Amino acid sequence: MRRALVVVAFLLIACQAITSLIPTSPAISQPPLTSTPFQTAPPIFTPTPTATPPHQTEHEFSVRLHPDSSLYVGDQISIEVISPDDVDLEGVNVRIQVSGESPNNLGSSGFEGYGIGERLQATFNWVWDTSHLESGEYQLEFVVQPDGPTWTEKVYLLPAVKVPSPERQAQWETIVLGCCEVHFITGTEFARDLPELLDLIEQQAADAVQRMGIEFDDRIPITVLPRVVGHGGFASNEIYVSYIDSNYAGNDLSQVLHHEMIHILDGRLGGEVRPPLLVEGLAVYLSDGHFKKEPLLQRAAELIDLGWYLPLTQLADSFYTSQHEIGYLEGGALVQFMVTRYGWQAFNDFYRDILPHPSGEHEQALDQALQNHFGLTLEQLEGMFKTALFRQHTNPDMQDDLFFTVAYYDAVRRYQQLLDPSAYFLTAWLPGGEQMRQRGIVADYLRRPSTPDNLAIEELLVEVDQHLRAGNYVDAEKDLLIVKDQLDQTQDNVLVGSSVPFLFQRTDIGLE
């Protein structure tokens, strides 16, 4: 019998193509599995003010240091000072200095929106060069100006000789292909599998070019991350993809590369307004799926059966804050529906001719462009689209796969928020690859939180992905429930900036 599936609380998320996520000079982290695991949690502090200045807010700021995990002499350290919610910080900045006999002023920075999620924070990129220091304890002093608060945080630097392998010997290397410049770190899984992966990259580039009908003007920079960041891929002026043996986000490198290459080509073709619903939908459609190959229209039809379908008006203006897998699936299915009905050229002409609306809303811009090109409103297009979905043939296995895929990725994101925050896509700590290479920095990509809790949950998430790809939904559910329990316990003991609701609940009405 078909299973009755109930979703109670989804995390609201989104990812993949980005234009403003990459800070001007940040950092990220994780060691490959061939290294000795780091046993120290990421440095996350919630400061206690040492004084109470006039007009000081009762809210507290949070501080996060990069690279993740342990810090060593020689590190170039970046600092995030994250604002509490609902605080007006217009005209406010924070100053940081290293206290001691010879104070070292690290500078000041104002509070600005950071990442896709626009989190309000002051960001200090590679401001503390520790190469001339001795190992030991140091004290950072934070002053929020003009009215405080002021607080201090202790930081411990381990000796440089204790940096684990392969980081001590690791360095950047670049291989130039016909399509791409591939940047990677020696001693990583990507370096180990290099020959076959270079062939894979060229194959995906050739297919993306053929499907888009446009050549690359110049080579695409691809930075390979030896750790999980977001859902495994980002695109801005270059492509960032994760490649690691135990990838707890479960992505397929060929699928992610193709998706991001479509974004690069799409951006070069241009268009005055390209709503994320269609930007991501196009990449999913031309890659034959999101995280894997999938029948988009049939799979999207299951959203209606599950009661998960999201109105296009919502996705038009809130795509990246809507449920991630649902938004991408609907976007891909919508583009497929339009191309099938009107043809590629007609769709592409419409897509490139969406103009700004005085309201500033994508919904209105889409509505106007649809009327200009097809004589349809967005509401009428959605009616036709849903009719096409109702006509699709669906099956219980596909519904189970969709249900547990959504539950799995919601679990991944909840894990990231709690125990691997640098990886969480809305506020991912993703450094500019070119600057990293120029500075010769590898630590911020190689280090990651690797406590026993991290490793245990990541192993379970890897198993969930394997079960899903094998169609083993019973074991996938069992592992997800164990992950839920462990994350519930973690949430009781970890300070986070906001509540992190659990992903799903399920009831079964008879199983045969």
Side-chain angles (χ1 to χ4, degrees):
M1 294 179 61
R2 171 168 288 192
R3 299 175 178 181
L5 309 171
V6 180
V7 167
V8 172
F10 284 114
L11 276 175
L12 301 180
I13 2 257
C15 117
Q16 227 77 340
I18 54 172
T19 57
S20 60
L21 176 61
I22 312 298
T24 53
S25 55
I28 149 184
S29 44
Q30 154 170 10
L33 296 183
T34 53
S35 69
T36 302
F38 297 95
Q39 297 299 323
T40 305
I44 305 172
F45 309 114
T46 301
T48 301
T50 56
T52 307
H55 312 297
Q56 179 196 332
T57 173
E58 294 180 359
H59 297 283
E60 293 182 335
F61 295 80
S62 298
V63 176
R64 186 167 292 142
L65 305 184
H66 303 276
D68 283 347
S69 194
S70 301
L71 298 173
Y72 299 85
V73 170
D75 284 343
Q76 296 183 50
I77 296 174
S78 299
I79 305 172
E80 295 175 283
V81 182
I82 302 166
S83 167
D85 295 332
D86 303 322
V87 176
D88 182 7
L89 292 174
E90 183 177 355
V92 174
N93 62 42
V94 60
R95 178 176 58 82
I96 307 176
Q97 75 170 15
V98 184
S99 303
E101 295 181 1
S102 301
N104 178 13
N105 182 15
L106 301 183
S108 64
S109 176
F111 289 86
E112 297 179 348
Y114 178 86
I116 297 173
E118 289 289 306
R119 180 176 65 194
L120 195 61
Q121 67 180 56
T123 308
F124 297 79
N125 300 309
W126 298 317
V127 293
W128 188 16
D129 184 352
T130 68
S131 58
H132 62 289
L133 301 177
E134 300 290 332
S135 61
E137 185 176 281
Y138 292 84
Q139 188 162 273
L140 299 181
E141 178 181 315
F142 297 80
V143 180
V144 177
Q145 299 169 323
D147 298 322
T150 298
W151 70 90
T152 60
E153 296 292 347
K154 293 179 181 179
V155 178
Y156 194 86
L157 298 180
L158 296 172
V161 294
K162 292 191 175 182
V163 173
S165 296
E167 185 182 325
R168 276 177 289 181
Q169 296 81 29
Q171 60 185 2
W172 284 103
E173 285 194 5
T174 297
I175 292 182
V176 178
L177 305 175
C179 64
C180 319
E181 291 181 358
V182 183
H183 308 287
F184 63 96
I185 297 172
T186 59
T188 60
E189 289 97 322
F190 186 88
R192 178 198 65 203
D193 301 337
L194 191 61
E196 63 190 76
L197 294 177
L198 294 179
D199 289 342
L200 182 150
I201 290 171
E202 290 190 300
Q203 291 166 10
Q204 296 308 312
D207 190 76
V209 164
Q210 187 274 326
R211 293 190 183 214
M212 284 294 291
I214 177 179
E215 296 282 347
F216 292 112
D217 293 335
D218 44 43
R219 291 184 178 91
I220 313 167
I222 299 175
T223 298
V224 182
L225 309 175
R227 69 153 295 165
V228 177
V229 180
H231 305 96
F234 293 92
S236 56
N237 59 328
E238 65 180 280
I239 290 173
Y240 296 80
V241 291
S242 298
Y243 188 80
I244 181 173
D245 287 341
S246 295
N247 187 329
Y248 67 78
N251 62 56
D252 179 322
L253 180 63
S254 61
Q255 190 77 12
V256 175
L257 271 173
H258 196 280
H259 184 110
E260 306 307 337
M261 287 174 173
I262 294 295
H263 282 320
I264 297 290
L265 292 170
D266 180 18
R268 290 178 180 177
L269 283 173
E272 195 164 348
V273 174
R274 291 183 301 131
L277 169 62
L278 297 182
V279 170
E280 299 296 353
L282 181 66
V284 170
Y285 165 62
L286 291 180
S287 299
D288 298 324
H290 186 198
F291 294 121
K292 60 185 177 184
K293 307 297 183 187
E294 54 192 343
L296 295 172
L297 286 169
Q298 287 178 277
R299 201 166 171 88
E302 296 289 3
L303 296 174
I304 295 176
D305 285 351
L306 288 164
W308 292 358
Y309 180 88
L310 299 175
L312 297 185
T313 52
Q314 173 183 331
L315 291 176
D317 283 290
S318 303
F319 185 86
Y320 288 119
T321 52
S322 295
Q323 206 288 326
H324 183 88
E325 288 68 42
I326 294 173
Y328 277 68
L329 176 56
E330 280 191 38
L334 176 65
V335 172
Q336 180 177 344
F337 169 75
M338 294 186 71
V339 171
T340 301
R341 186 176 182 88
Y342 300 109
W344 171 256
Q345 191 59 54
F347 169 80
N348 197 50
D349 290 345
F350 148 75
Y351 177 50
R352 306 294 165 191
D353 192 39
I354 303 173
L355 302 176
H357 189 271
S359 67
E361 295 179 352
H362 286 154
E363 174 191 346
Q364 298 298 328
L366 271 171
D367 191 81
Q368 187 60 60
L370 284 167
Q371 292 184 55
N372 292 342
H373 283 263
F374 303 116
L376 291 170
T377 65
L378 181 59
E379 182 180 4
Q380 289 171 323
L381 174 67
E382 181 162 35
M384 295 163 55
F385 176 51
K386 291 181 75 173
T387 297
L389 296 184
F390 278 119
R391 291 174 177 167
Q392 297 298 311
H393 295 290
T394 61
N395 64 74
D397 283 346
M398 186 179 296
Q399 189 174 102
D400 276 355
D401 187 76
L402 177 59
F403 176 86
F404 285 111
T405 296
V406 171
Y408 163 58
Y409 279 102
D410 270 346
V412 166
R413 289 181 289 261
R414 186 181 183 217
Y415 163 72
Q416 290 176 336
Q417 286 183 291
L418 287 169
L419 290 173
D420 192 5
S422 295
Y424 181 57
F425 83 101
L426 282 179
T427 50
W429 185 248
L430 190 64
E434 184 176 358
Q435 295 182 61
M436 293 281 285
R437 295 186 289 273
Q438 289 174 351
R439 291 171 176 262
I441 296 174
V442 296
D444 290 40
Y445 281 147
L446 284 171
R447 293 185 211 159
R448 65 181 177 95
S450 294
T451 68
D453 284 347
N454 287 98
L455 298 177
I457 294 175
E458 288 180 15
E459 183 178 352
L460 283 166
L461 290 171
V462 169
E463 288 182 5
V464 172
D465 177 61
Q466 293 170 346
H467 292 321
L468 289 177
R469 293 180 186 275
N472 184 356
Y473 307 116
V474 172
D475 285 340
E477 181 178 26
K478 289 177 181 177
D479 281 347
L480 279 170
L481 291 172
I482 297 171
V483 171
K484 173 197 182 305
D485 182 63
Q486 294 193 15
L487 292 179
D488 285 346
Q489 294 178 42
T490 298
Q491 187 169 340
D492 291 338
N493 298 300
V494 175
L495 292 172
V496 291
S498 59
S499 60
V500 186
F502 180 54
L503 41 147
F504 77 105
Q505 290 182 349
R506 166 183 170 145
T507 58
D508 289 319
I509 306 178
L511 298 176
E512 295 183 10

